[in-house]
């Protein structure tokens, strides 16, 4: 008889990843496909991507051995509230031969679980957007920010990109040459650091270049702030310090001053070795000196772990250690 | 023979106003029509409004006596760059019997001139948007901000409205009851101050209510901040203090620390007796103690004054005093 297996899915905007492991932690399969978020892509296309990734991941195992599955998904609540979306996921699950139940969980919880098996703690995520959440008994409790680019996401990639442009425009208004950050922004947006004889023409060109596109594309400028800060530009460093302050303020809305559980950092801006991650880590250590600081890891493996942890006979901590070796921030 | 007359137009987003005066300052006619900005309304509809307001204003005079005209208009540069828009304005000018030349000037310059005849100074405007400009020899020189809601307009009505919602969301995230400002925002957006048992449902409802509409409509919430501040709410007062800091920082980008020319305050948020106007006035006095602080007045009269001031035999200061009695901030 084969060992019991579990299936974990990390469904993102651009990639769907599946991990299949035994409840003892043996890696048995992996699959990958395009973005499978039904909110972004529509239920039908999302289901196709899920099916492709699941089929690949299950090719060397008997899907009938699966005991549990977890699908990690941004906007999990919206999927659960949408009968059509839920039905599309159900149909794919059966079509690939899975007979076990599955649970849809928010990507913030999966990010948390990818960093630690501790049931109580905090997750702080900064990518295109920004959100913090308290985790209690390994379920999402209170949430802060994640309000979207117009009203929130303070300290996110969008926020950094917008601040980079605001800094550039303020410098153009005030006169003088561009800072290193402004030079990067001008080059990216206008193809050159040349300032028009009538400075307002360059201001107008910057504003028009940005406002012709969807606002969220400002997030594409965030790496310029990281680059300029790495090169020692004080303006970029000040923007990152502001972003770190915003992110820690967001976390403080849902984490008491005396909490000691771990803080898991997630999202592209905090999981790489970026100057923003450094600034946030320092600010968190300052505010919660007791808290272990951890970095989010493999989302699909974390989803598989979340599926396995409640099954009979599973040592959740040992399995986490095997699937997701912790890395400190 | 009749006295020489001048024609001033203040063309806004929702109103077009015309003033006809003699070069000695006698009021000879006034007209009013709907919004006549060709950028917002299209050249044809804009020209119709101009014609209606001009016809009314010129009904008791001989248009052949007009010696000069000024049209004050947001985005004057765009009109001048657009042959079709300029041709439509030319055609209306001739159709109502005017034979004199006219000049199209930015509304920021007209706002400045409505507050003072001094050739050099600064104008600071906060309405839906926010902008500051240096005036040299009664022409617009350097400009700061006016970058639009996505990238700038710091301290504007849009900015105040967005901060009011951000304050409300931060309070919902953090727990506890709503502040007076948050109660006003919740009532306006959701019809009640009730917070759902799952607070995130109220957060989502606020975010969705705002993001379903054009972002600029956030400016409609600015009066709630003024009301709450008038009622002593510290959160609203803090937001206004931030707005005042932003506006004065904007002015400082185009006004040197040792300048002594007047500062004219314009726009709906700074011309009424609002707590924001008080905060900005205090911050300006602090930064430029020498500067006379004035409040923008009648735009159509200022346009008429700008038309008259260069004509032979006109005492520009005396005419300004007669048409636009100055009011200190």
């Amino acid at each position: 008889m084969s060992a019991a297996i579990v299936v974990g899915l990390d469904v993102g905007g651009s990639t769907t990843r599946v991990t299949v492991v035994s409840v003892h932690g043996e890696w048995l399969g992996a699959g990958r496909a395009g973005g499978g978020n039904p909110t972004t892509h529509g239920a039908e296309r999302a289901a196709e991507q899920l099916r492709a990734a699941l089929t690949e991941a299950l090719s060397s195992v008997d899907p009938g051995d699966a005991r549990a599955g977890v699908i990690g998904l941004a906007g999990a609540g919206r999927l659960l509230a949408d009968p059509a979306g839920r039905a599309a996921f159900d149909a794919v699950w059966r079509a690939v031969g899975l007979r076990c139940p599955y649970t849809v969980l928010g990507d913030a919880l999966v990010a948390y679980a990818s960093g630690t098996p501790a049931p109580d703690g905090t997750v702080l995520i900064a990518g295109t957007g920004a959100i913090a959440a308290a985790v209690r008994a390994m379920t999402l409790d209170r949430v802060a920010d994640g309000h979207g680019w117009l009203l929130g996401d303070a300290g996110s990639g969008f926020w950094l990109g917008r601040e980079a442009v605001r800094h550039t425009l303020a410098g153009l208004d005030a006169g003088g040459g561009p800072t290193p950050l402004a030079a990067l922004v001008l080059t990216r947006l206008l193809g050159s650091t040349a300032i028009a004889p009538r400075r307002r023409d360059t201001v107008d060109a910057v504003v028009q270049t940005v406002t012709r596109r969807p606002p969220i594309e400002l997030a594409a400028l965030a790496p310029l702030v990281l680059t300029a800060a790495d090169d020692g530009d004080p303006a970029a460093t000040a923007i990152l310090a502001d972003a770190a302050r915003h992110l820690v303020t967001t976390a403080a809305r849902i984490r008491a001053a005396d909490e000691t559980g771990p803080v898991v950092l997630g999202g592209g801006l905090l999981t790489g070795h970026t100057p923003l991650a450094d600034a946030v880590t320092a600010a968190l250590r300052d505010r919660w000196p007791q808290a272990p600081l951890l970095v989010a890891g493999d989302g699909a493996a974390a989803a598989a772990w979340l599926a396995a942890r409640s099954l009979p006979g599973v040592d959740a901590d040992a399995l986490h250690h095997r699937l997701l070796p912790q890395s400190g921030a």
Side-chain angles (χ1 to χ4, degrees), chain A:
Chain A
M1 184 190 133
S2 322
I5 65 176
V6 290
V7 181
L9 288 86
D10 181 21
V11 179
S14 53
T15 318
T16 296
R17 292 178 56 256
V18 178
T19 290
V20 177
V21 296
S22 79
V23 294
H24 308 303
E26 288 103 357
W27 293 82
L28 300 175
R32 176 187 286 264
N37 192 313
T39 310
T40 330
H41 299 91
E44 199 168 322
R45 176 167 141 66
E48 266 172 45
Q49 302 301 323
L50 247 67
R51 180 200 290 253
L54 279 168
T55 302
E56 183 187 353
L58 294 165
S59 58
S60 317
V61 298
D62 177 355
D65 289 336
R67 293 288 169 271
V70 160
I71 302 179
L73 182 70
R78 278 195 295 276
L79 176 77
L80 297 175
D82 170 25
R86 185 68 198 234
F89 275 36
D90 282 349
V92 166
W93 200 256
R94 283 191 306 270
V96 299
L98 290 165
R99 300 282 168 268
C100 60
Y102 71 93
T103 310
V104 179
L105 297 175
D107 56 348
L109 181 65
V110 174
Y112 176 81
S114 76
T116 179
D120 301 323
T122 302
V123 60
L124 176 60
I125 299 176
T128 302
I131 196 166
V135 173
R136 299 275 169 267
M138 203 49 86
T139 57
L140 276 192
D141 190 40
R142 287 170 52 214
V143 174
D145 207 347
H147 301 146
W149 61 264
L150 178 61
L151 296 170
D153 288 358
S156 68
F158 170 83
W159 187 96
L160 288 177
R162 186 181 59 193
E163 290 306 301
V165 177
R166 291 187 58 217
H167 164 76
T168 303
L169 291 171
L172 287 167
D173 284 348
T179 61
L181 174 58
L184 291 174
V185 170
L186 289 170
T187 302
R188 174 72 67 90
L189 294 178
L190 305 182
S192 134
T193 61
I195 296 175
R198 199 174 152 273
R199 298 177 79 87
R200 194 69 181 176
D201 292 339
T202 302
V203 168
D204 290 344
V206 167
V207 171
Q208 285 161 22
T209 301
V210 170
T211 54
R212 260 199 302 267
R213 296 167 173 227
I216 196 64
E217 291 191 17
L218 279 166
L221 303 177
L224 305 184
V225 186
L226 303 179
T227 300
D230 271 336
D231 291 349
D233 179 12
T237 304
I239 290 173
L240 291 182
D242 265 359
R245 249 192 306 277
H246 277 297
L247 290 168
V248 173
T249 300
T250 297
R253 295 215 169 94
I254 47 87
R255 182 181 172 97
D258 60 354
E259 280 187 51
T260 56
V263 179
V264 176
L265 302 179
L269 286 168
L270 299 183
T271 50
H273 187 75
T274 71
L276 179 60
D278 293 344
V280 168
T281 299
L284 288 170
R285 283 200 206 292
D286 203 46
R287 192 143 185 164
W288 292 283
Q290 310 288 323
L293 301 187
L294 303 161
V295 173
D298 181 334
W305 177 78
L306 284 164
R309 65 188 275 276
S310 320
L311 294 176
V314 169
D315 179 340
D317 282 356
L319 183 61
H320 195 281
H321 188 70
R322 186 147 182 198
L323 294 179
L324 293 149
Q326 290 178 31
S327 64

